Amino acid sequence: MTVVLRKMKISDLYTIEKIESLCQLGTWTMDSYLHEIRNPIARYIVAERDDQILGFAGAWCVVDEVQIMKVGVLPNYQGSGLGTMLMRALDHIAIDEQCKQMTLEVKENNTKALNLYKKMGFVVSGHRSHYYPDGMGAELMTKILISKQARKSKK
Ligand SMILES: CC(C)(COP(=O)(O)OP(=O)(O)OC[C@H]1O[C@@H](n2cnc3c(N)ncnc32)[C@H](O)[C@@H]1OP(=O)(O)O)[C@@H](O)C(=O)NCCC(=O)NCCS
């Protein structure tokens, strides 16, 4: 399938709120995402095919660190590489903005997400007990980014 990645825009927010709910990402509303689109440190992208948004991801760039905020793919499209595409796109954004590391929190029993993040090079760097409202703990994961400069000099 031909999927296009692009910046999230205001007209996407109705669908984004639906994905938030279908993927059980949390309780953010269209207003929360509107705030994010206007937040100067936030970077949000969507994966779209034939004008249908299949997933999205977002992060905050704080000085030289990126905090992953959201990653969600519509249930029917999970397992087809979209999560990987979205995470790679955030990687590129972070490297372009000269960030040095990425961090995130993930529910300790979210196997799919844990596997995705490990595949993308994240390692577990800490644990927060009872972090989520349902009592589950969070794994803190970190990834050190290699700058474009360092990549070139390795070749
Ligand atoms: C986590 C999520 C974003 C992954 O997106 P995706 O499009 O399914 O991911 P991909 O197809 O690119 O798969 C990436 C990796 O995830 C893992 N994965 C995918 N499906 C899996 C499954 N059913 N069981 C276990 N691991 C799985 C694999 O390691 C896979 O890599 P591989 O295909 O090379 O083996 C998606 O499952 C999702 O939206 N889940 C609900 C929301 C959520 O949990 N978001 C993260 C909150 S921290």
Side-chain angles (χ1 to χ4, degrees), residues 29-81:
T29 61
M30 284 174 70
D31 269 354
S32 320
Y33 282 102
L34 183 60
H35 182 80
E36 284 294 84
I37 283 182
R38 291 174 174 160
N39 179 354
I41 62 166
R43 311 282 181 270
Y44 278 79
I45 47 171
V46 301
E48 185 177 59
R49 190 192 60 181
D50 299 335
D51 290 334
Q52 189 195 357
I53 297 172
L54 307 179
F56 74 97
W60 282 3
C61 295
V62 185
V63 193
D64 60 357
E65 197 173 312
V66 171
Q67 167 77 22
I68 306 292
M69 303 300 290
K70 299 274 182 179
V71 188
V73 172
L74 280 172
N76 286 347
Y77 294 90
Q78 289 175 10
S80 53

Coordinates of all heavy atoms in Angstrom, one line a residue, residues 29-81:
T29 N -8.7 14.8 23.7 CA -9.8 15.1 22.8 C -9.3 15.9 21.6 O -8.1 16.2 21.5 CB -10.8 16.0 23.6 OG1 -10.1 17.2 24.0 CG2 -11.4 15.3 24.8
M30 N -10.2 16.3 20.7 CA -9.8 17.2 19.6 C -9.1 18.5 20.1 O -8.1 18.9 19.5 CB -11.0 17.6 18.8 CG -11.5 16.5 17.9 SD -13.0 16.9 17.0 CE -12.5 18.1 15.9
D31 N -9.6 19.0 21.2 CA -9.0 20.2 21.8 C -7.6 20.0 22.2 O -6.7 20.8 22.1 CB -9.9 20.7 23.0 CG -10.9 21.6 22.6 OD1 -10.9 22.0 21.4 OD2 -11.8 22.0 23.4
S32 N -7.4 18.8 22.9 CA -6.0 18.5 23.3 C -5.1 18.5 22.1 O -3.9 19.0 22.2 CB -5.9 17.1 23.9 OG -7.0 16.8 24.7
Y33 N -5.5 17.9 21.0 CA -4.7 17.8 19.8 C -4.5 19.2 19.1 O -3.5 19.5 18.6 CB -5.2 16.7 18.8 CG -4.8 15.4 19.3 CD1 -5.7 14.5 19.9 CD2 -3.5 14.9 19.2 CE1 -5.3 13.3 20.4 CE2 -3.1 13.7 19.6 CZ -4.0 12.9 20.3 OH -3.6 11.6 20.7
L34 N -5.6 20.0 19.2 CA -5.5 21.3 18.7 C -4.4 22.1 19.4 O -3.6 22.8 18.8 CB -6.8 22.1 18.8 CG -6.9 23.5 18.3 CD1 -6.7 23.4 16.8 CD2 -8.3 24.1 18.5
H35 N -4.4 21.9 20.7 CA -3.3 22.5 21.6 C -2.0 22.0 21.1 O -1.0 22.8 21.0 CB -3.6 22.2 23.0 CG -2.7 22.8 24.0 ND1 -2.8 24.1 24.4 CD2 -1.6 22.3 24.6 CE1 -1.8 24.4 25.2 NE2 -1.0 23.3 25.3
E36 N -1.9 20.7 20.8 CA -0.6 20.2 20.4 C -0.1 20.7 19.1 O 1.0 21.1 18.9 CB -0.7 18.6 20.3 CG -0.7 17.9 21.6 CD 0.7 18.1 22.3 OE1 0.8 19.1 23.0 OE2 1.5 17.2 22.2
I37 N -1.1 20.9 18.1 CA -0.7 21.4 16.8 C -0.1 22.8 16.9 O 0.8 23.2 16.2 CB -1.9 21.4 15.8 CG1 -2.2 20.0 15.3 CG2 -1.7 22.3 14.7 CD1 -3.3 19.9 14.4
R38 N -0.7 23.5 17.9 CA -0.2 24.9 18.1 C 1.0 25.0 19.1 O 1.5 26.1 19.3 CB -1.4 25.7 18.7 CG -2.5 25.9 17.7 CD -3.7 26.6 18.2 NE -4.6 26.9 17.2 CZ -5.9 27.1 17.4 NH1 -6.4 27.1 18.7 NH2 -6.7 27.4 16.4
N39 N 1.4 23.9 19.7 CA 2.5 23.9 20.6 C 3.8 23.9 19.9 O 4.1 23.0 19.1 CB 2.4 22.6 21.5 CG 3.4 22.4 22.5 OD1 4.4 23.2 22.6 ND2 3.3 21.4 23.3
P40 N 4.6 25.0 20.1 CA 5.8 25.1 19.3 C 6.8 24.0 19.5 O 7.7 23.8 18.6 CB 6.4 26.4 19.7 CG 5.7 26.8 21.0 CD 4.4 26.1 21.0
I41 N 6.8 23.2 20.6 CA 7.7 22.1 20.7 C 7.2 20.8 20.2 O 7.9 19.8 20.3 CB 8.2 22.0 22.2 CG1 7.1 21.7 23.1 CG2 9.0 23.2 22.6 CD1 7.5 21.2 24.5
A42 N 5.9 20.8 19.8 CA 5.3 19.5 19.4 C 5.5 19.2 17.9 O 5.5 20.2 17.1 CB 3.8 19.5 19.8
R43 N 5.7 18.0 17.6 CA 5.8 17.6 16.2 C 4.9 16.4 16.0 O 5.1 15.3 16.5 CB 7.3 17.1 15.8 CG 8.4 18.1 16.3 CD 8.5 19.3 15.4 NE 9.6 20.1 15.8 CZ 9.4 21.2 16.6 NH1 8.2 21.4 17.1 NH2 10.4 21.9 17.0
Y44 N 3.8 16.6 15.2 CA 2.9 15.5 15.0 C 2.8 15.1 13.5 O 2.7 16.0 12.6 CB 1.5 15.9 15.5 CG 1.4 15.6 17.0 CD1 1.9 16.5 17.9 CD2 0.8 14.5 17.5 CE1 1.9 16.3 19.3 CE2 0.7 14.2 18.8 CZ 1.3 15.1 19.7 OH 1.2 14.9 21.1
I45 N 2.8 13.8 13.2 CA 2.7 13.4 11.8 C 1.6 12.4 11.7 O 1.2 11.7 12.6 CB 4.0 12.8 11.3 CG1 4.5 11.8 12.3 CG2 5.0 13.8 11.0 CD1 5.7 11.0 11.8
V46 N 1.0 12.3 10.5 CA 0.0 11.2 10.2 C 0.5 10.4 9.0 O 1.2 10.8 8.2 CB -1.4 11.8 9.9 CG1 -1.9 12.7 11.0 CG2 -1.4 12.6 8.5
A47 N 0.0 9.1 9.1 CA 0.2 8.2 7.9 C -1.1 8.1 7.2 O -2.1 7.7 7.8 CB 0.7 6.8 8.4
E48 N -1.1 8.4 5.9 CA -2.4 8.5 5.2 C -2.3 7.7 3.9 O -1.2 7.6 3.2 CB -2.5 10.0 4.8 CG -3.8 10.3 4.1 CD -3.9 11.8 3.9 OE1 -3.0 12.4 3.2 OE2 -4.9 12.4 4.4
R49 N -3.4 7.0 3.6 CA -3.5 6.3 2.3 C -4.8 6.6 1.7 O -5.9 6.5 2.3 CB -3.4 4.8 2.5 CG -3.2 4.1 1.1 CD -3.4 2.6 1.3 NE -4.7 2.3 1.8 CZ -5.1 1.1 2.1 NH1 -4.3 0.0 1.9 NH2 -6.3 0.8 2.5
D50 N -4.8 7.1 0.4 CA -6.1 7.4 -0.2 C -7.0 8.3 0.6 O -8.2 8.0 0.8 CB -6.9 6.2 -0.6 CG -6.1 5.3 -1.6 OD1 -5.2 5.8 -2.3 OD2 -6.4 4.0 -1.6
D51 N -6.4 9.4 1.2 CA -7.1 10.3 2.0 C -7.6 9.8 3.3 O -8.5 10.4 4.0 CB -8.3 11.0 1.2 CG -7.8 11.9 0.2 OD1 -6.7 12.4 0.3 OD2 -8.5 12.1 -0.8
Q52 N -7.2 8.6 3.7 CA -7.7 8.0 5.0 C -6.5 8.0 5.9 O -5.4 7.4 5.6 CB -8.2 6.6 4.8 CG -8.9 6.1 6.1 CD -9.1 4.6 6.1 OE1 -8.9 3.9 5.1 NE2 -9.6 4.1 7.3
I53 N -6.7 8.5 7.1 CA -5.6 8.5 8.1 C -5.6 7.2 8.8 O -6.6 6.7 9.4 CB -5.7 9.7 9.1 CG1 -5.6 11.0 8.4 CG2 -4.6 9.6 10.2 CD1 -5.9 12.2 9.2
L54 N -4.5 6.4 8.7 CA -4.4 5.1 9.3 C -3.7 5.1 10.6 O -3.8 4.1 11.4 CB -3.6 4.2 8.3 CG -4.2 4.1 6.8 CD1 -3.4 3.2 6.0 CD2 -5.7 3.7 6.8
G55 N -2.9 6.1 10.9 CA -2.2 6.2 12.1 C -1.5 7.5 12.3 O -1.5 8.3 11.3
F56 N -1.0 7.8 13.5 CA -0.3 9.0 13.7 C 0.7 8.8 14.8 O 0.7 7.8 15.6 CB -1.3 10.2 14.0 CG -1.9 10.1 15.4 CD1 -1.3 10.8 16.4 CD2 -3.0 9.3 15.6 CE1 -1.9 10.8 17.7 CE2 -3.5 9.2 16.9 CZ -3.0 9.9 18.0
A57 N 1.6 9.8 14.9 CA 2.6 9.8 16.0 C 3.0 11.2 16.3 O 2.9 12.1 15.5 CB 3.8 9.0 15.6
G58 N 3.4 11.4 17.5 CA 3.8 12.8 17.9 C 4.8 12.8 19.0 O 4.9 11.8 19.8
A59 N 5.6 13.9 19.1 CA 6.6 14.0 20.1 C 6.9 15.4 20.4 O 6.4 16.3 19.7 CB 7.9 13.4 19.5
W60 N 7.5 15.6 21.6 CA 7.9 17.0 22.0 C 9.5 17.0 21.8 O 10.2 16.1 22.3 CB 7.6 17.2 23.4 CG 6.2 17.6 23.7 CD1 5.1 17.6 22.8 CD2 5.6 17.9 24.9 NE1 4.0 18.0 23.4 CE2 4.2 18.2 24.7 CE3 6.1 18.1 26.2 CZ2 3.3 18.6 25.7 CZ3 5.2 18.5 27.2 CH2 3.8 18.7 27.0
C61 N 9.9 18.1 21.2 CA 11.4 18.3 21.2 C 11.7 19.4 22.2 O 11.4 20.6 22.1 CB 11.8 18.9 19.8 SG 11.5 17.7 18.5
V62 N 12.4 18.9 23.3 CA 12.7 19.8 24.4 C 14.2 19.9 24.5 O 14.9 19.0 24.8 CB 12.1 19.3 25.7 CG1 12.4 20.3 26.9 CG2 10.7 19.0 25.6
V63 N 14.7 21.1 24.1 CA 16.2 21.3 23.9 C 16.7 20.2 23.0 O 16.4 20.2 21.9 CB 16.9 21.5 25.3 CG1 18.3 22.0 25.1 CG2 16.1 22.4 26.2
D64 N 17.6 19.3 23.6 CA 18.2 18.3 22.7 C 17.6 16.9 23.0 O 18.2 15.9 22.6 CB 19.7 18.3 22.8 CG 20.2 18.0 24.2 OD1 19.3 17.8 25.1 OD2 21.4 17.9 24.4
E65 N 16.4 16.9 23.5 CA 15.8 15.6 23.8 C 14.4 15.5 23.3 O 13.6 16.5 23.3 CB 15.7 15.4 25.4 CG 15.5 14.0 25.8 CD 15.6 13.9 27.3 OE1 16.5 14.4 27.9 OE2 14.6 13.2 27.9
V66 N 14.0 14.3 22.8 CA 12.7 14.2 22.2 C 11.9 13.2 23.1 O 12.4 12.1 23.4 CB 12.8 13.6 20.8 CG1 11.4 13.1 20.3 CG2 13.4 14.6 19.8
Q67 N 10.7 13.6 23.5 CA 9.8 12.8 24.3 C 8.7 12.3 23.4 O 7.9 13.1 22.8 CB 9.3 13.6 25.5 CG 8.1 12.9 26.2 CD 8.5 11.8 27.1 OE1 9.7 11.7 27.6 NE2 7.6 10.9 27.4
I68 N 8.6 11.0 23.2 CA 7.5 10.5 22.3 C 6.2 10.6 23.1 O 6.1 10.1 24.3 CB 7.7 9.0 22.0 CG1 9.1 8.8 21.3 CG2 6.6 8.5 21.1 CD1 9.3 9.4 19.9
M69 N 5.2 11.2 22.6 CA 3.9 11.5 23.2 C 2.9 10.5 22.9 O 2.1 10.0 23.7 CB 3.4 12.9 22.9 CG 4.4 14.0 23.2 SD 4.8 14.1 25.0 CE 3.2 14.6 25.7
K70 N 2.8 10.2 21.6 CA 1.7 9.3 21.1 C 2.1 8.5 19.9 O 2.8 9.1 19.0 CB 0.5 10.1 20.7 CG -0.2 11.0 21.7 CD -1.2 10.2 22.6 CE -1.8 11.0 23.6 NZ -2.8 10.3 24.4
V71 N 1.7 7.3 19.8 CA 1.9 6.5 18.5 C 0.7 5.6 18.4 O 0.4 4.8 19.4 CB 3.1 5.6 18.5 CG1 3.3 5.0 17.1 CG2 4.4 6.3 18.9
G72 N -0.1 5.7 17.4 CA -1.3 4.8 17.3 C -1.5 4.5 15.8 O -1.4 5.4 14.9
V73 N -1.9 3.2 15.6 CA -2.3 2.8 14.2 C -3.6 2.1 14.3 O -3.9 1.4 15.3 CB -1.2 1.8 13.7 CG1 -1.7 1.1 12.4 CG2 0.1 2.4 13.5
L74 N -4.5 2.4 13.4 CA -5.9 1.8 13.5 C -5.8 0.3 13.6 O -5.0 -0.3 12.9 CB -6.7 2.2 12.2 CG -7.3 3.6 12.1 CD1 -7.8 3.8 10.7 CD2 -8.4 3.7 13.2
P75 N -6.6 -0.3 14.5 CA -6.4 -1.7 14.7 C -6.4 -2.6 13.4 O -5.5 -3.5 13.4 CB -7.7 -2.1 15.6 CG -8.0 -0.8 16.3 CD -7.6 0.3 15.3
N76 N -7.2 -2.3 12.4 CA -7.2 -3.1 11.2 C -5.9 -3.0 10.4 O -5.7 -3.8 9.5 CB -8.4 -2.7 10.3 CG -9.7 -3.2 10.8 OD1 -9.7 -4.0 11.7 ND2 -10.8 -2.7 10.2
Y77 N -5.1 -2.0 10.7 CA -3.9 -1.8 9.9 C -2.6 -2.1 10.7 O -1.5 -1.9 10.2 CB -3.9 -0.4 9.4 CG -5.0 -0.1 8.3 CD1 -6.2 0.3 8.7 CD2 -4.8 -0.5 7.0 CE1 -7.2 0.5 7.8 CE2 -5.8 -0.3 6.1 CZ -7.0 0.2 6.5 OH -8.0 0.4 5.5
Q78 N -2.8 -2.5 12.0 CA -1.6 -2.8 12.8 C -0.9 -4.1 12.2 O -1.5 -4.9 11.6 CB -2.1 -3.1 14.2 CG -2.5 -1.8 14.9 CD -3.0 -2.0 16.3 OE1 -2.9 -3.1 16.9 NE2 -3.6 -0.9 16.9
G79 N 0.4 -4.1 12.4 CA 1.2 -5.3 12.0 C 1.6 -5.2 10.5 O 2.1 -6.1 9.9
S80 N 1.3 -4.0 9.9 CA 1.7 -3.9 8.4 C 2.8 -2.9 8.2 O 3.0 -2.4 7.1 CB 0.5 -3.6 7.6 OG -0.2 -2.5 8.1
G81 N 3.5 -2.5 9.3 CA 4.7 -1.7 9.1 C 4.5 -0.2 9.4 O 5.4 0.6 9.3

